């Protein structure tokens, strides 16, 4: 009986500290960087043949995509998951010294890119003063990028479709003033994985407004910076990409 009372009190405290948020919105994303793909003979120097994503590949516009995020607060910290799916099409001209796979440099091309990201992390409160919280954590970024470049004159095309699960170290900081709150999630990893080796940086920041009970609106910023080298369909590729943009939306809190 002496043990039951403190255990019950602990469980009751844990249940009352649970909180949850579910958000949906739109993300305006810009893509920058370079990409290179080896030819079928494997003879290209990827370091010098990389094509600029905006100027040569033609993926230079701002695109809008759906954005979702959910948070679950627990006694020792929190669980966070968020994601978006970005697609873009364009056209351009490869640089004279920048072939892409078996497509010669100087070719006129059309391009398509789909970039899907799902991020999940668990954070453990190191400092929690109510108004201010600092929480290191661990998680994983799932990244799928599908890039297809087609030569206009011949309809010859090259495609890289690769999925990568990146384990990452995360840190979350939050300032909560009641009606207004701000959260920043930062993740980083430099790792050698099965399909891609490189550096991965993930930044997500939100400012939340709670105008009425159980409802929040938010504005935020997202940045994914990856410098990856790997193999897709037995071809070596390099991708130095930066996706960044603003998010707007709303949701419910429990």
């Amino acid at each position: 009986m002496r043990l039951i009372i403190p255990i019950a009190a602990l469980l009751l405290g844990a249940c009352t500290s649970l909180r949850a948020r579910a958000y949906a919105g739109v993300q305006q994303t810009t893509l920058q960087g370079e990409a290179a793909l080896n030819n079928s003979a494997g003879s290209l120097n990827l370091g010098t043949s990389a094509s600029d994503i905006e100027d040569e590949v033609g993926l230079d516009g701002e695109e809008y995509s759906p954005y979702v995020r959910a948070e679950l607060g627990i006694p020792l910290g929190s669980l966070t998951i968020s994601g978006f799916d970005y697609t873009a099409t364009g056209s351009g001209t490869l640089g004279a010294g920048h072939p892409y796979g078996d497509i010669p440099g100087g070719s006129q091309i059309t391009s398509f890119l789909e970039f899907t990201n799902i991020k999940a992390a668990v954070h453990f409160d190191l400092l929690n003063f109510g108004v201010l919280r600092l929480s290191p954590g661990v998680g994983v970024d799932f990244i799928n990028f599908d890039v297809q470049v087609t030569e206009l004159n011949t309809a010859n095309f090259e495609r890289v479709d690769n999925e990568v699960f990146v384990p990452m170290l995360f840190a979350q900081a939050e300032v909560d003033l009641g009606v207004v709150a701000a959260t920043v999630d930062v993740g980083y990893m430099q790792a050698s994985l099965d399909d891609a080796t490189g550096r991965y940086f993930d930044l997500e920041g939100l400012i939340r407004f709670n105008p009425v009970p159980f409802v929040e609106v938010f504005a935020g910023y997202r940045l994914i910076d990856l410098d990856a080298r790997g193999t897709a369909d037995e071809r070596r590729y390099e991708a130095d990409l930066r996706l960044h943009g603003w998010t707007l939306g709303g949701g419910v809190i429990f």
Side-chain angles (χ1 to χ4, degrees):
M1 185 65 179
R2 293 179 180 178
L3 291 176
I4 293 176
I5 294 176
I7 291 175
L10 179 61
L11 293 175
L12 181 60
C15 293
T16 57
S17 65
L18 290 175
R19 65 189 186 279
R21 293 185 174 96
Y23 293 153
V26 62
Q27 178 168 303
Q28 175 254 343
T29 306
T30 300
L31 175 67
Q32 297 173 310
E34 297 179 336
L37 177 67
N38 216 335
N39 56 24
S40 56
S43 60
L44 292 183
N45 183 339
L46 299 186
T48 60
S49 65
S51 298
D52 186 274
I53 287 292
E54 295 178 286
D55 297 336
E56 297 177 68
V57 182
L59 299 172
D60 57 354
E62 298 176 346
E63 302 292 340
Y64 294 88
S65 56
Y67 166 87
V68 294
R69 178 181 172 101
E71 301 176 15
L72 176 64
I74 56 178
L76 297 179
S78 62
L79 303 172
T80 302
I81 184 169
S82 65
F84 68 94
D85 184 68
Y86 165 86
T87 59
T89 58
S91 60
T93 302
L94 297 178
H98 297 165
Y100 187 83
D102 290 325
I103 300 177
S107 300
Q108 292 185 322
I109 54 97
T110 61
S111 54
F112 166 83
L113 179 140
E114 181 176 13
F115 188 101
T116 302
N117 171 253
I118 300 174
K119 179 187 72 175
V122 55
H123 304 93
F124 304 96
D125 291 346
L126 179 64
L127 299 173
N128 190 345
F129 300 113
V131 174
L132 174 64
R133 178 172 60 84
L134 300 175
S135 307
V138 294
V140 63
D141 256 17
F142 167 75
I143 296 172
N144 175 65
F145 54 93
D146 182 358
V147 184
Q148 181 169 309
V149 176
T150 304
E151 186 180 3
L152 280 178
N153 293 334
T154 65
N156 180 38
F157 70 92
E158 298 285 4
R159 184 179 183 184
V160 174
D161 186 3
N162 204 18
E163 298 179 350
V164 182
F165 288 88
V166 185
M168 302 184 77
L169 298 176
F170 280 94
Q172 185 178 82
E174 183 175 79
V175 175
D176 191 343
L177 302 178
V179 176
V180 180
T183 303
V184 177
D185 300 335
V186 180
Y188 180 82
M189 181 57 68
Q190 186 165 348
S192 178
L193 306 173
D194 290 339
D195 295 324
T197 298
R199 171 186 51 80
Y200 303 85
F201 177 79
D202 191 322
L203 172 68
E204 185 173 6
L206 295 174
I207 297 177
R208 308 191 308 269
F209 304 92
N210 181 205
V212 296
F214 307 113
V215 175
E216 287 187 337
V217 294
F218 69 87
Y221 177 76
R222 184 69 187 274
L223 167 67
I224 295 178
D225 189 331
L226 64 90
D227 185 1
R229 297 163 178 82
T231 302
D233 297 327
E234 300 182 350
R235 297 272 198 96
R236 295 292 298 170
Y237 72 87
E238 292 187 4
D240 183 3
L241 303 177
R242 292 173 299 283
L243 288 92
H244 60 95
W246 298 96
T247 59
L248 293 172
V252 294
I253 59 176
F254 306 95

